[in-house]
Amino acid sequence: MADRGAVELSTEPVINLGCHGPARLMAGVREYGRLDLWAQTKVYGEPVPIPLPALVDLATQIRLGGRGGAGFPFARKLDAVVKSSHRRGLPAIVVVNGTEGEPAACKDKMLLSMVPHLVLDGAVLAASALRSPELIVAIADDGVAEESLLDALEERRGTSMPTRVVMVPHRFLSGEAGALVRGINGEPHIPPGRKVRASDTGVGGCPTLVSNAETYAQLAVAAAIGPREYAQIGTDEEPGTVLLTVTGAARRPAVIETPTGTPLKEILRVCGAPTGQGVLTGGYHGTWITPEDAGQAEISRRGFEEVGGSLGAGIIVPLPDNTCALGEVARVTHYLAAESAGQCGPCRLGMPEMAQLLTGILSGGTSPEAVRALCAAMRGRGACSHPDGSSRFVLSALEVFADDVNAHLYHHGCGRPVRGVLPIPEGPDEPGAGRLSVDWSSCDGHGLCAHILPELVRLDENGFPTIPDGAVPSWLEPQARRAVDMCPTMALRLGRPTH
């Protein structure tokens, strides 16, 4: 498997594909483009079923961790599903999580678009070892990987196990395991609101193995080349390669495959990305690191943790010098608040409050200590990990961008515009995409809107409403409409943004 250059993936926006080091997951893409079944077999060989004990041993030997965020050991997941299946006398179900609702990521969509059979081969290995009655592949309804996946299943017709494709909403929480299982089961596609392990009760109430697309692709590569060759590159603790999505300040944004242990500065150089004001690692539930730490970091879970970063789902976003760092963080925080399920206090009240407090810092009227106190009060109290992950993103930003925070607090701003470098989806034509606004020529400061909609509306020192610059969460839209309808002067508006 030789080094290769970059090719283009047909997504919007177009992003390059490349390797820095030996190609494992992307082997053959330069020669064949998208690998159909013939090309897949030519590059990786014919997959051979592996008995369950040997598959667990393979995953253990290569130290395979989940590539969707938490990095949970795949072998332990397998073992938990097996034990639950035996204890309850129910079949095990295997789910490929290809939803990738994180706006700054597209590595799983790249895999399903360019090497779909590699993902399917890994998933079939697991499903066959567990004797699953079917394989389920969940993808977002954004249309990016759908055609490639359906073509791959058609190419495999009659030669592989029954496979069902489930389309889920393209939302931030779509990839959360509990939300994904609920969606597959025909329930609302939101987290269950209580801790439920898919390995105990998942699809149809059966023990369920849920892992993301890259995890299964890595398993297929290891099965094809063997654990010894797999561990020839990477670190001893985390052998093999990882996929990274590099955007932000990068002149050549890319999904890039590289061995673990590679210096982060090398990947940034390849992508033409200066470290700028700081680098976001791990996505919107990850953490920011300073330019100095980015120059020292090595790409692995441990390597990022040593500098306060997070590998997460392999997201790397350097922030350029020409945008307002705090404004970028506030934009994303409003988006995260709107994407919550609204099932618990931290999501219903804490997340919108956090977004408003950040907006208050931008205008110089709020102390960062108020944000830190709110995050401390929310810690560990959410019905899912969304509030804690979002708090981690915000708290690290307050540390890394301390100079920017001080500029807004004490010097009337940083002087830079908010350029929208951090990607968030533009408001779709669906509930939850509306934004509140006030007609100041009519508003008399009655304050009724703040009583009806305290999650979003605050009153300033003069009793007039302050409205966050972000989409109204879908779960708050009925209350927002009630506030609009009850405004005595009809000054409050709820409408779609214009672009």
Side-chain angles (χ1 to χ4, degrees):
M1 297 182 181
D3 291 2
R4 48 173 294 280
V7 297
E8 288 188 337
L9 172 63
S10 297
T11 64
E12 183 61 41
V14 171
I15 193 165
N16 293 319
L17 307 182
C19 291
H20 185 72
R24 290 276 182 82
L25 301 174
M26 295 190 191
V29 171
R30 186 177 187 182
E31 293 77 12
Y32 299 107
R34 175 191 176 274
L35 271 63
D36 60 15
L37 187 57
W38 176 87
Q40 167 75 14
T41 305
K42 182 87 171 175
V43 173
Y44 294 99
E46 193 75 38
V48 178
I50 301 176
L52 182 60
L55 189 65
V56 172
D57 183 60
L58 174 64
T60 301
Q61 287 189 62
I62 66 171
R63 299 175 182 264
L64 180 60
R67 303 303 176 92
F72 193 82
F74 186 77
R76 285 174 59 189
K77 272 191 177 183
L78 274 172
D79 186 59
V81 171
V82 170
K83 289 178 177 176
S84 181
S85 179
H86 288 168
R87 183 177 68 252
R88 301 179 59 206
L90 293 172
I93 306 297
V94 173
V95 174
V96 177
N97 186 350
T99 56
E100 205 164 40
E102 166 78 63
C106 61
K107 67 183 181 66
D108 288 340
K109 290 181 173 65
M110 181 282 296
L111 287 169
L112 289 168
S113 296
M114 302 302 290
V115 288
H117 291 285
L118 191 64
V119 177
L120 292 171
D121 280 353
V124 169
L125 284 174
S128 297
L130 291 169
R131 298 182 180 178
S132 301
E134 70 168 346
L135 172 64
I136 298 173
V137 184
I139 59 174
D141 60 2
D142 57 2
V144 174
E146 180 181 3
E147 182 178 356
S148 174
L149 176 60
L150 294 178
D151 286 348
L153 292 175
E154 183 64 29
E155 292 165 7
R156 300 164 78 96
R157 181 185 290 273
T159 64
S160 190
M161 70 167 44
T163 302
R164 176 159 54 109
V165 176
V166 176
M167 310 291 290
V168 306
H170 188 214
R171 303 293 296 273
F172 187 83
L173 289 180
S174 291
E176 197 273 338
L180 185 59
V181 167
R182 292 193 75 199
I184 293 172
N185 285 336
E187 301 174 69
H189 197 96
I190 58 176
R194 57 190 176 88
K195 184 64 175 178
V196 180
R197 290 185 176 87
S199 58
D200 291 329
T201 304
V203 175
C206 294
T208 302
L209 176 70
V210 181
S211 282
N212 83 314
E214 186 191 343
T215 307
Y216 289 113
Q218 294 281 2
L219 184 66
V221 168
I225 67 178
R228 181 172 297 181
E229 183 176 344
Y230 186 93
Q232 290 299 307
I233 60 175
T235 67
D236 291 339
E237 187 175 353
E238 301 173 48
T241 66
V242 293
L243 279 180
L244 304 172
T245 307
V246 184
T247 56
R251 292 193 301 275
R252 296 180 293 278
V255 171
I256 191 163
E257 182 181 14
T258 189
T260 56
T262 301
L264 174 58
K265 63 184 178 182
E266 280 297 302
I267 299 303
L268 295 177
R269 181 189 61 79
V270 167
C271 295
T275 52
Q277 301 177 71
V279 178
L280 177 62
T281 62
Y284 296 159
H285 279 179
T287 53
W288 292 92
I289 60 175
T290 66
E292 294 75 21
D293 285 335
Q296 300 298 318
E298 291 188 348
I299 294 169
S300 67
R301 294 193 181 277
R302 169 168 286 191
F304 278 146
E305 288 169 2
E306 288 177 349
V307 297
S310 170
L311 180 59
I315 296 165
I316 307 294
V317 188
L319 195 67
D321 291 320
N322 64 349
T323 189
C324 172
L326 189 60
E328 295 280 354
V329 172
R331 283 179 63 250
V332 172
T333 307
H334 280 291
Y335 159 74
L336 293 173
E339 287 291 294
S340 79
Q343 298 185 100
C344 61
C347 273
R348 290 188 67 87
L349 299 171
M351 295 282 292
E353 176 74 7
M354 183 164 61
Q356 285 213 338
L357 289 173
L358 285 172
T359 301
I361 297 176
L362 281 170
S363 61
T366 302
S367 167
E369 293 309 315
V371 179
R372 294 188 177 98
L374 175 65
C375 291
M378 292 196 300
R379 188 176 299 124
R381 298 177 60 192
C384 68
S385 63
H386 188 48
D388 283 353
S390 301
S391 296
R392 186 163 51 245
F393 166 79
V394 168
L395 290 173
S396 67
L398 294 180
E399 296 299 323
V400 171
F401 304 127
D403 289 345
D404 196 54
V405 171
N406 289 334
H408 284 277
L409 289 176
Y410 307 118
H411 303 290
H412 307 291
C414 65
R416 294 184 292 261
V418 180
R419 299 186 180 277
V421 174
L422 297 182
I424 58 174
E426 292 191 359
D429 188 18
E430 60 174 300
R435 282 167 167 75
L436 285 171
S437 62
V438 177
D439 178 0
W440 296 111
S441 65
S442 301
C443 181
D444 286 340
H446 289 83
L448 183 60
C449 53
H451 292 285
I452 297 173
L453 194 60
E455 295 91 345
L456 293 183
V457 182
R458 300 288 189 276
L459 300 181
D460 63 18
E461 62 273 14
N462 298 312
F464 286 90
T466 61
I467 306 293
D469 181 20
V472 175
S474 58
W475 47 272
L476 279 177
E477 189 159 314
Q479 286 174 254
R481 294 194 181 282
R482 182 166 175 259
V484 169
D485 292 341
M486 295 187 67
C487 178
T489 61
M490 295 184 290
L492 190 65
R493 310 284 175 79
L494 178 64
R496 305 291 172 189
T498 58
H499 301 289

